[in-house]
Amino acid sequence: MLDHEQILIRRGPRSGLPVIIALHSTALGPAAGGLRLWHYPDWRDGLTDALRLSAAMTLKFAVTGLASGGGKTVVALPPGTWLDPARRRDVLHDVADQIDSLGGTYTVGPDVGTSPADMAVIGEVTPHVFCKPKHLGGSGDSSPHTAHGTLAALRAVSRRLYGESDLKGLRLGLIGLGHVGEHLARLLAAEGAHLTVTDIDPAKMKIADELGAAWSSPEEIVSTDVDILVPAALGGLLTTQVVGQLHCRAVVGPANNQLDTPETAELLHQRGILWIPDHVASAGGAVHAITTEVHHATPDEALARVQAIEGTVTELLRTADDLHVTLAQAGHEMAQRRIRAAAGLVPAEG
Ligand SMILES: NC(=O)c1ccc[n+]([C@@H]2O[C@H](COP(=O)([O-])OP(=O)(O)OC[C@H]3O[C@@H](n4cnc5c(N)ncnc54)[C@H](O)[C@@H]3O)[C@@H](O)[C@H]2O)c1
């Protein structure tokens, strides 16, 4: 059964490349979601990704209480294709035309393979774009806001585990000191958390030194005795084998697609480890960008929306308890409830 409202596939007239836009749902409001410019063995693999990722955006916005729907754009580059600056511009303008033709039903932002600078090029053609650089009126780099959202999720989990949202003295294992990870490490160090950190890039050791954090290897950190493990590197960390090695009470981090398969959430649940779904723990950047640029909120209102992730996680924990399900299943349930209420199928909750 087709779950999506609309799928647009067009060969870009300038670039000759397939531009795929998947609009999963506009039940909660106009759709939003990033542009993925990535290599795929076949353009149909790009379509599969667009379908999956747009549905994940619907879930992310619904769980975090944003009045936006899920969409995603994928430009499927054939293997080995390299885009010189002129061809990249052509691709971005092909994407922009297609987005503009939707008349505001969908707004695009950056994703894997694209940046705020690319959003500026799209913005030459259509206003339906977010995360342009700050000097062009956009909200720019979203990673500091993503880090603040993860901090909010950590507070809710800390309250659940230890009765206090204060992170002082908590032992945290942080994996990945990139754009988000470094911001998060600085926020956590300022809170007085005891940090053990790692990165595959040894140059990041100087951040650990500066913050007084212990350094571990990427292999060892997963079995280190900590209160909460914080994945902030690439996806796919949580495999059956890694879950068996964990020595923590919760896993809460901004990395996307942390589970190797959805069933691994059940494994974590059986081991009594709280796993906050990544679409919630990583939502701060998207929530901030869309609240300011699409919903035109003030900076204070946008900050409040990011901090509200603490309340979302608390609600998620309560729903999981009430329904005796995993937090991932609770997230699905909360999202479906909001979408059904918006569609007028059931009364909205108080
Ligand atoms: N940037 C955002 O606003 C944002 C928003 C939502 C989700 N995310 C997700 O958060 C994660 C981090 O994003 P980012 O923008 O900081 O990326 P980044 O590329 O800046 O940082 C990733 C860091 O992880 C390190 N790393 C890679 N593999 C590793 C491994 N196996 N072990 C330890 N370290 C490893 C890299 O060396 C790098 O320092 C990604 O999964 C991303 O999809 C980011």
Side-chain angles (χ1 to χ4, degrees):
M1 197 182 88
L2 180 64
D3 200 26
H4 291 65
E5 286 179 13
Q6 201 179 151
I7 301 153
L8 248 82
I9 307 173
R10 230 181 256 167
R11 194 157 55 86
R14 301 174 188 81
S15 66
L17 291 167
V19 177
I20 304 161
I21 299 181
L23 293 189
H24 178 252
S25 167
T26 54
L28 294 174
L35 162 60
R36 187 161 288 201
L37 187 55
W38 204 241
H39 292 95
Y40 292 91
D42 186 288
W43 69 267
R44 292 167 193 82
D45 299 317
L47 171 62
T48 304
D49 233 9
L51 295 175
R52 179 178 67 81
L53 295 165
S54 57
M57 290 309 289
T58 299
L59 188 62
K60 178 180 280 206
F61 294 140
V63 175
T64 50
L66 229 59
S68 290
K72 204 83 182 182
T73 305
V74 171
V75 174
L77 299 173
T81 311
W82 180 76
L83 298 176
D84 63 29
R87 187 132 190 256
R88 189 175 184 91
R89 250 184 110 67
D90 283 349
V91 173
L92 295 169
H93 282 167
D94 283 343
V95 168
D97 279 348
Q98 209 158 307
I99 285 163
D100 205 55
S101 76
L102 292 165
T105 311
Y106 166 63
T107 306
V108 73
D111 190 60
V112 175
T114 56
S115 66
D118 293 322
M119 297 307 112
V121 178
I122 292 178
E124 292 167 2
V125 175
T126 179
H128 306 301
V129 57
F130 60 91
C131 275
K132 287 192 296 186
K134 277 196 172 148
H135 70 275
L136 294 173
S139 61
D141 180 15
S142 59
S143 45
H145 309 293
T146 303
H148 275 283
T150 308
L151 184 70
L154 282 162
R155 287 195 200 289
V157 170
S158 170
R159 192 170 341 92
R160 170 57 171 260
L161 294 176
Y162 304 106
E164 298 218 21
S165 57
D166 188 356
L167 304 176
K168 190 162 190 262
L170 223 61
R171 296 166 308 144
L172 303 175
L174 176 63
I175 305 174
L177 291 169
H179 288 95
V180 182
E182 180 177 350
H183 274 292
L184 191 54
R186 291 185 187 283
L187 292 172
L188 295 170
E191 295 267 324
H194 289 303
L195 291 178
T196 301
V197 298
T198 187
D199 198 290
I200 45 168
D201 179 359
K204 308 276 177 170
M205 260 186 218
K206 66 175 188 306
I207 301 170
D209 289 345
E210 192 192 322
L211 299 178
W215 181 265
S216 176
S217 72
E219 295 73 31
E220 281 171 2
I221 199 164
V222 291
S223 54
T224 302
D225 184 7
V226 289
D227 295 303
I228 306 177
L229 192 68
V230 185
L234 304 184
L237 173 77
L238 299 171
T239 61
T240 305
Q241 191 199 349
V242 165
V243 170
Q245 292 170 3
L246 293 177
H247 216 84
C248 59
R249 296 187 64 190
V251 179
V252 186
N256 277 324
N257 303 322
Q258 290 168 28
L259 304 179
D260 59 343
T261 68
E263 291 72 37
T264 306
E266 182 60 39
L267 221 56
L268 286 153
H269 187 63
Q270 284 165 10
R271 280 213 55 204
I273 297 171
L274 291 179
W275 175 70
I276 302 303
D278 40 53
H279 59 262
V280 178
S282 73
V287 166
H288 180 270
I290 286 165
T291 315
T292 48
E293 296 191 56
V294 180
H295 300 166
H296 307 294
T298 64
D300 282 350
E301 286 164 346
L303 180 65
R305 293 301 312 216
V306 173
Q307 287 170 342
I309 289 174
E310 183 175 343
T312 298
V313 172
T314 302
E315 193 185 342
L316 207 58
L317 291 163
R318 202 181 311 125
T319 305
D321 282 350
D322 290 350
L323 303 178
H324 304 289
V325 294
T326 66
L327 291 159
Q329 289 163 323
H332 268 279
E333 180 51 36
M334 272 166 60
Q336 289 310 322
R337 238 188 269 158
R338 285 186 180 143
I339 290 167
R340 285 196 300 266
L345 299 177
V346 289
E349 307 150 65

